[in-house]
Structures are given as structure tokens and as C-alpha cells.
Amino acid sequence: MKKTIVLIFTCLISAQLFAQDLQLSGQVVSATNNEPIAYAAILLTQQADSSSRTGALTNARGEFDLKSPAQGKYLLRISFLGYKTLIKPVEVTSGSINLGVFKLEEDALSLKEVVVTGEQLAVKVKKDTIEYNADSFKTQPNAVVEELLKKLPGVEIDRDGNILVQGQKVTRLTVDGKDFFGSDPKTATKNLPADAIAKVQVVDSKTLEAKATGIDDGQREKVLNLTIKEDKKRGWFGNANAFGGTTERYNGYLSANHFNKNLQFAVLGMSNNISNSSYQYDDLNSFSGGNVGNIFSPPAGGSFSINVNNGRTTISGSGVFDNTAIGEVTTHSGGINYSNSWGKNNKLAISSSYFTNFSQGIGDRLSNIQDINQTDVLRTAESTNRNSDNEAHRFNLRAEYHPDSLTDIIFRPNIILNYTRNIYNRSFNSAFDGTGRSNDGTQFFDQRNATPSLFGEFSVLRRIKKGSVALRLNGTQNTYNADWINRSLINTYPNGASEVTRLDQQAGQDNDSKTYTVGLTYNRQLNKAWSTNAGYGYNRGTVDAQQLTYEYNTITGRYETIVPALSNRTDNMNWLHAARFGFINTGAQWTYNFGFALQETGLNVAAFNSGGSTINQLEKTYYNFLPRLNISFKNKANHTIQLNYNSSVNLPSSNDLQPVQNNTNPLYQRIGNPELEARKNHRMAINFNTFSADNNKYWNGYFLINYALDDFGNSVRYQDGVQNVQPVNVDGNYYINTGTYFGKPTGVKNLRMGYGLNLFASHTSSFINLAKNITDRYNVGPNASFNYDIDGKLNAGVYFSVQYSMVNNSQPAAIDNKYFSFYNNTSLSWEFIKNTRITSELQYNGTAGRADGFNNNMFLLNSGIEQYMMKRRITLSLRGFDILNQNTNIDRTINASRIEDIRFNSMTRYFYMMLNFRINKAGPTQGRSNPRNTVG
């Protein structure tokens, strides 16, 4: 046995020795002062075959490492702007060779900028900018910018189209230094032609606030700036396509964008019955004329979420995209955007947009629910059929006026009109594990909502000597009008007997909320390193909410008998005074930004019954000291660290305070709690990033913890299987989110790899029949990716991800939950014949450990063949969706007292033929005015 182990070990060592690459190393310094020269270009060319070559850049210490393709005689070429190029013959024999120190002599050129030149790579490195010469990286005819970016060292495109540079996500995109059709990088990368780009610049830019105030706060964002060739600064770009398929599936799509000097114009349109109610994220930004967050978020910063899946974007809570349609959905939507600026240095700039959305959905929903009781587990099976309609309109306007170089004036109003209707037919049955059958029944529910909203903001910023002053005013009005009919029949089984409860009610709810905010900020530079800031803010909000519920009168055939327990009116008024102070210290590598706020928050709530009598009166005032801290570090070796800590106070919503019962779900009935205290949050985040320019390796990581005092939890009481829920305050809730990612090129040409690990943990509290239940949840998941590209002819990618989830509850009757989730994706695109390409994508989504019938193990295969025509401007495709006919839509939601597995009906196999026309027309122009710079 020992001989076998020795033999295996010897073989492994031998294999490793034979597999070693031929390594060349050395150092480049200045002949004048022996200082190392960073980012010098190293090119090794074989004398017998000049096409055999390899290259590298020196690191911050002037050192380089090269892998020689084979033994032989080579020419080593070292070049750097401001120095004379050095060419030296080198003979490679075996093993590793240290070539020693190379001294470059100064040339007559200036050394203000670092330039890397060579036949393989063209990169210019400044203090905060890496600049790539686009013509040095060849792409296919009619390729878009995204294909160019994939070829740049240190740049990656993930499966959702996000751009990663040095492991960090690019957050904004500009063209010639100006925001271009929105700030999201994907706005132009999927549409702009690659041959129109002169340079690609990656900038560690100051935030827009820091540029406006002139005070560096230490915050940085990755900005991608594209400079356009002079003969390409006019034209149109975008896509138009249409397809028809089996099972009567159809889709039409248009994205057209025009740029001309300072003018930006965009059109979006969509119509389909393939359950695609979302847009490409870059198209939404393209049309928005600013960014998705500003255009599609609710007025005054209400609840808002953006979910991106395989490049498709779903927006919830925005008033336009807030559509609850499930199952098979038909969508018609579109919009236009216009943006322009006039005068010297763009003195006046206006952008506006209109968007509309219509959708209809037919959904079937099956759910398996586990509710934790104090001594038992309640299991419920539900089946719901839902028809939904949504109509929405949104208008936005943003006007900027800069009367001089020291003053910025901005006015921003928007309007939302949203109408929805949902009709449910539900059947259900519930049983406890220990005591058996609890209830069963049916429900019919028909609800109509109308939610018009108005918002306006006015701000003025004036730069003064060594500082700036800013004034901000905004106001909003949101109206929510809802009417519904609720009919249900519930059979309960107390002590083995059977009881029947019938419900036939009509209800109306009217909520009218108004808020306005006044903010004043002063910033001053104290000296070269120190600055200070102070501010004051006042916010006032009112909510008038009323609900009236009527019982059906079988004699008159009308809803006319008021239900007092389900009817009341609530007047809610809150206010906030906040004084903020802070200091910023900016050094060569470290920046410290710290301060605090003194905040007074008030709340006044009055509740009245249907007869107008007061049933509850509440007045509360909170005083809080809220510190904040930001520390950032960056050195010349591209190592960055950032730490952020802040604290905040959140008031309960009017729905959480309103003491009126909501019985729209017969098994889950909720009532507000007027005694709720404000929630206090403490949040700390740490991020780090390293990047090595000489070998294009990067490593980043993050850590986030949020701890809450007086957090909002639920108190749940069970009665005949029906949950009665009321929000309550709980202490000690927290969540932790951390992870890391590493990426590098491999030893195989054109093959890149990356791998990472993410962890999540949360600790939440609730009350079940007055007994406290603590839920601890843990998620851990590794992931890895491989991408291979050969001159755009062959593209292949593999992505692996697995997540292990565990949920533990302190209640002895609660069932702890453990399960796995898998996501794997393999894609292939191969142009096997000129102008003919096959594409294929196989997704595997799987779970293990869920309830029976709700474990998802699905292989989704989409494949097709494309034929390019008219210089690739037209593409004719034949494709199949879900070729294996396995598509399912299964989800799991978990909170402190409930685990719910859900299955929806979804689109299954169909085949279609699509014609796509790429709008890509650029032409000469007489020049472009200098825009107001947003980069640097």
C-alpha cells in the first residue's frame, strides 16, 4: 500500500513538473532614477514566426511575468510613453528564466500620462481612469458595444448583461462625458455599434452630489464612458422584431433611439401573449432619459423593487409596472422619451417621457402552506383561479437650468394613473397535524382599484466661495380608491362538529395621503484636507383613510347594512425635524466622512367608528441621535476598502396603525395596531476590491449587517384554522449578508473563469398565540462561471450555482426546514457557416427538501438557428421555447411563522419564426457641443 501511495505521489509530481510553463520574468525601471515603471508594455515575439507572440504589463513594482509558448529564440520589446523603446534578443531553453532589470532611457515626450502601447494591447492609465483604444480590439461587422467590452482585459459581462470591471459592477454609462439615455450601462452597450466607438474609459468617478457641491465625500462609482468617433456622432440605433409561432403565440417589439448633439429621443413598444410583461433593462433606461430609479419609482420614494432575470426586468410598486398578473399574460405597452439641452454649456436641459401599460392575465395558483402554531402545525392546501387586468399611464418631466457656472436649478414633476381589477375564485382546506381537520371552503373576490398620484420637486444649488448651499422642496399626493365584493363559505370543525359561516359583503376604501419636505444643506471647504457640512430638514405627512363595509340584504337585494367591525376612519399626521452635521477628511489614500443627526419625529393618529365617534387617539414623539460614518481607502495598487455605517428611524404605515380588520383573505385576517412604536435601524456595510493589471485577476468581497430595535413583527392567533394577525414591535431582529468573488483568465487562451460564495443569515421574532417564536434562517451558496470566446464565432458559457437553506424555529411544534436550490445555465452560440449561427441555452432549476409536488427539477431548453442578411442588419430565426416541455413556475416564501410553496401555470413548449431588423444608422456630423461633464 505504501509503495502504491509513493508511486501515485511520484507520478503526480512528475506530471506537475512536465506541465510547468516556460516562465520569463524581469523588472523595468527608469535609467534616470532607478524608479520602477508601472504599466510598461512587454511583447515577446518569436524570431522564426512573428505571429507567435505573447504580452504583459508591468505591475506597480515594475515587475513582469511572461509565459513562453515554446523553446526558441525571441525578441523582447519593452515600451512606455516618454521612454525609448527597448528591443532585446532572448533565448528560451527550459524552466524559469529571470531576465534581470531593464533600464529605459527617457525620450523627449512628457511623462504626465502613462500609456501602454503594443501590437496586442493599447491601454492608457491615468489616476482614476483606465482607457482602452477600441480599434485595438477587433469585432465582427455590425457588432454592438457589448461584444467589444467582452474582449477588453479585466472586463466581464454576466448572464444578465451587467458589466463588471475589476470585479465591480459598472453603475453608470456616459457618452462623451454626458449621461446617455439613462445612467444604466446596458443602455447603449446592447445597441450602439462597436465601430462607432473611439475609446472605452473606465472611471472611478466622484458621485454627482460631490461634483455638484465641490466637496469630495470619498464615495466612488464605476462609470463607463464611451467616446464616439467624429464621423459617427449622428444616427439611429435599436431593434425591431416580430414573430409568430405555434399555439397562436406572437410577439412584437420596438426599441428605437436617436442621438444628435444634445438631443436624445427614444421610442419603446411591445405587444405579446407570451407572458412577457417586462422590458430589457437597458431599454427602460434608454427611454427614461435619466435612470430607472428616478423615472419608475413611486413619487416621494415609496416601496419600489427591480428584479432582473436573464436580462428581463420586472418592476413592482411603481404604479406603471405594479401588475399582479400571473400565469398566461397578454401585454401591450409603450412609451416615448425626449431630452434636449440648449445654450452654452447646456444652460437649459429638459427631459420628459410618457409610458403606458395594458395587461391581462389568466392564472392558476396552487399553494401548500405550513403555519406554525404553539403546539401544532397547520397545513393548508389552496387552489386559486385569477383573472387580472391592469392599465397604467405615467408622465415625467425634468427641467434643469444653469444660469451661470455656480448655480443649478432643477424642477421635476410626475403623474401616475393606475387602474386594476382582480377576480379570484378560491377553494381551500386546512388541517392540524395533531388534531386533524380544521376548515374548508370557497371564496369569490372581485376588486377594482384606482390609484392616481402626483409628485413635484424643486431644488436650487449655489456654489459659493469654498462651499455651496442647497435648497430642496418637494411634495406628493397619493390617492388609493378600492371597491370590492367578497363572498365566502367556510366550514369549520370545532370539537368534531360542523359549523358553516357565510359571508357576502361589499366594501370601499379611500386613502388620501399628502407629504411635503423642506431641506437646506450647507457645505464648506475648511482647508485642503478638511471640509464640513450642515443641514436641516422638515417633513410633514397626512393620511386620511376610510373603509366602509356593507352586508348583503337578501330581502332588498342590495348591500346596505353597515358592518361596524369592518368600518372606520383614521386620520394620521406625522412630522420630522432633523439637524445634520458632518466632517470630511480627504487624504492621498484614506477618506473619512463622519457626522450625526438630531431628529425629532412626531405621530398623531385618531380613529373613528362608522358613526363618527372617536375609538382611539394616539400622540407620540420620538427623539433620536443618529450617527453615520464612511471610511474609504484606495492605493496605487488598485486595492480599495470602504466601510459605511448609518442609523435611521422608520414610522409605521397607516395600514399598520389602522385598527380595522381586513378580511379579504378568509384564512388570513389582519388588523392594525395603533400602539406601534417607530423602528430604529443600524446598518453597517464593508466592501473591498483588488485588481491586478498585469494578470487581470480580481477579488472582491462584501459584508452587510442590519440590526433593528422595535422592529415590526406579527402576532398570530389561531381560531378554527383562521389566522388573526396584528403587527407588533419586537427587539433583536437582524440580518447578515456577506460574500466574495474571484475572477481571472485561465491558462487556455480566450477562457475566463470566476467563482464566488454568498452567505445570508437572519434572526426574526414573532408571537404565536402570545408565545414568542424566534426564526433563524441561513442560506449559503457557492457559484462558478466559465466563458469561452473565439473572435465572436464561437461563444460558450457555463454557470453553476447551488444554495443550501435552513430555517429553525424556537417553538417546539414548528418543523425546521432544510432544502437545496440549484441553478445551472449552459449557453452556446456558434457561427458554423458565415452568416449562419446556431444558438442554444439549457437551464436547470432544481430544489430538494420542499413539500411533495413542490420540488422543482426542470430542464428548460431554448434553441434555434439564425440567418444574417443585408450585412447582418436583418436576422431570420427559427427557434423553440421549452423544447423539452418541462417549464414550471414554482416558488417558496418564508416568514417568521409561515412557509408557503407556490405553483403557477406557465408558458410551455412552442416554436416560432422571428424577423429582427437592427436599426444601426450613423453618419457624419458637423461636430458636437461640449456637454456638461459628468465624469471625473
Side-chain angles (χ1 to χ4, degrees), residues 18 37 73 148 196 317 353 371 422 574 597 620 661 692 713 911:
F18 281 104
I37 299 177
K73 295 183 179 181
L148 170 64
S353 62
D371 287 309
N422 290 289
N574 60 76
K620 290 189 176 183
Q661 187 175 1
S692 178
F911 297 89

Side-chain angles (χ1 to χ4, degrees), residues 274-307:
I274 56 172
S275 300
N276 184 6
S277 59
S278 57
Y279 279 92
Q280 292 285 353
Y281 194 14
D282 53 280
D283 289 334
L284 288 176
N285 272 285
S286 177
F287 131 111
S288 68
N291 61 69
V292 165
N294 282 344
I295 296 300
F296 294 109
S297 61
S303 177
F304 176 52
S305 65
I306 301 176
N307 301 301

Side-chain angles (χ1 to χ4, degrees), residues 284-494:
L284 288 176
N285 272 285
S286 177
F287 131 111
S288 68
N291 61 69
V292 165
N294 282 344
I295 296 300
F296 294 109
S297 61
S303 177
F304 176 52
S305 65
I306 301 176
N307 301 301
V308 181
N309 184 19
N310 292 327
R312 309 304 302 183
T313 303
T314 302
I315 300 180
S316 300
S318 70
V320 171
F321 290 93
D322 190 12
N323 180 23
T324 57
I326 63 172
E328 298 189 13
V329 182
T330 299
T331 301
H332 313 288
S333 59
I336 60 173
N337 177 84
Y338 172 82
S339 178
N340 206 347
S341 57
W342 302 266
K344 185 178 180 181
N345 295 323
N346 299 321
K347 178 176 289 189
L348 175 63
I350 293 178
S351 61
S352 62
S353 62
Y354 166 74
F355 197 90
T356 185
N357 181 81
F358 297 84
S359 63
Q360 296 176 322
I362 300 175
D364 296 319
R365 182 181 188 271
L366 299 175
S367 61
N368 184 295
I369 306 169
Q370 302 174 56
D371 287 309
I372 303 167
N373 197 0
Q374 189 174 3
T375 57
D376 207 344
V377 174
L378 177 67
R379 301 183 186 274
T380 303
E382 286 190 18
S383 175
T384 304
N385 175 267
R386 182 168 72 186
N387 294 335
S388 56
D389 290 280
N390 183 80
E391 176 187 345
H393 307 270
R394 180 154 193 162
F395 172 77
N396 299 276
L397 175 69
R398 179 185 177 94
E400 297 185 38
Y401 179 59
H402 311 281
D404 53 53
S405 61
L406 302 178
T407 308
D408 300 330
I409 302 173
I410 299 175
F411 174 59
R412 182 168 69 96
N414 64 41
I415 302 172
I416 296 176
L417 301 174
N418 194 21
Y419 308 94
T420 62
R421 183 181 183 184
N422 290 289
I423 301 176
Y424 298 81
N425 283 284
R426 173 187 293 162
S427 62
F428 51 87
N429 63 82
S430 303
F432 287 101
D433 284 351
T435 58
R437 184 169 57 171
S438 175
N439 63 55
D440 57 63
T442 60
Q443 182 193 23
F444 170 81
F445 187 76
D446 183 353
Q447 181 173 3
R448 292 175 172 85
N449 298 333
T451 54
S453 300
L454 305 174
F455 171 77
E457 181 178 78
F458 177 80
S459 63
V460 179
L461 184 141
R462 176 71 179 182
R463 284 168 283 273
I464 58 178
K465 185 177 181 180
K466 295 186 178 182
S468 65
V469 178
L471 173 67
R472 178 173 175 263
L473 308 171
N474 72 45
T476 185
Q477 176 173 328
N478 294 319
T479 303
Y480 175 80
N481 300 311
D483 297 283
W484 63 85
I485 293 176
N486 185 12
R487 302 188 187 116
S488 64
L489 184 151
I490 303 178
N491 300 305
T492 57
Y493 304 92

Side-chain angles (χ1 to χ4, degrees), residues 245-258:
T246 59
T247 64
E248 300 182 348
R249 302 301 175 191
Y250 73 88
N251 179 58
Y253 183 86
L254 171 67
S255 170
N257 309 278
H258 174 63

Side-chain angles (χ1 to χ4, degrees), residues 564-731:
L566 303 178
S567 303
N568 79 352
R569 178 171 63 87
T570 302
D571 294 337
N572 180 354
M573 192 269 287
N574 60 76
W575 70 91
L576 179 149
H577 295 273
R580 301 178 179 89
F581 306 91
F583 294 90
I584 302 173
N585 176 263
T586 305
Q589 295 183 336
W590 291 91
T591 299
Y592 304 90
N593 185 342
F594 56 92
F596 63 92
L598 300 174
Q599 184 170 297
E600 178 195 56
T601 308
L603 185 67
N604 189 330
V605 180
F608 309 89
N609 62 22
S610 57
S613 300
T614 302
I615 56 176
N616 189 274
Q617 182 79 35
L618 176 67
E619 291 188 22
K620 290 189 176 183
T621 303
Y622 311 93
Y623 297 94
N624 294 281
F625 175 79
L626 305 174
R628 58 180 173 82
L629 172 67
N630 170 263
I631 301 175
S632 60
F633 167 82
K634 180 177 181 180
N635 61 15
K636 294 181 179 179
N638 291 311
H639 300 156
T640 64
I641 301 173
Q642 190 165 92
L643 181 148
N644 284 282
Y645 163 78
N646 63 66
S647 52
S648 61
V649 175
N650 302 102
L651 293 174
S653 69
S654 59
N655 286 335
D656 285 338
L657 293 169
Q658 189 176 16
V660 61
Q661 187 175 1
N662 184 330
N663 68 340
T664 55
N665 185 336
L667 300 183
Y668 188 88
Q669 303 195 22
R670 186 177 177 88
I671 187 170
N673 180 5
E675 301 296 328
L676 279 180
E677 297 283 345
R679 176 174 58 196
K680 297 88 178 176
N681 275 310
H682 298 269
R683 183 181 185 274
M684 184 179 72
I686 302 174
N687 295 273
F688 71 87
N689 178 76
T690 66
F691 169 66
S692 178
D694 52 337
N695 56 21
N696 289 319
K697 292 182 180 179
Y698 58 85
W699 178 37
N700 64 9
Y702 62 93
F703 175 84
L704 169 67
I705 182 170
N706 191 93
Y707 182 83
L709 297 172
D710 287 325
D711 200 3
F712 305 141
N714 285 328
S715 176
V716 182
R717 293 181 299 105
Y718 288 88
Q719 184 177 358
D720 298 328
V722 176
Q723 295 186 70
N724 295 280
V725 182
Q726 186 176 45
V728 294
N729 288 117
V730 295
D731 279 333

Side-chain angles (χ1 to χ4, degrees), residues 826-829 838-842 861-864:
T826 303
S827 61
L828 174 68
S829 177
I838 58 173
T839 62
S840 185
E841 180 183 36
L842 178 63
L861 176 61
N862 303 323
S863 188

Side-chain angles (χ1 to χ4, degrees), residues 800-832:
F800 301 96
S801 174
V802 60
Q803 180 176 280
Y804 175 70
S805 301
M806 181 171 61
V807 181
N808 296 326
N809 293 280
S810 62
Q811 285 286 348
I815 298 177
D816 295 334
N817 196 260
K818 303 174 183 178
Y819 63 96
F820 285 91
S821 302
F822 309 95
Y823 177 81
N824 301 322
N825 181 283
T826 303
S827 61
L828 174 68
S829 177
W830 179 29
E831 189 173 340
F832 64 101

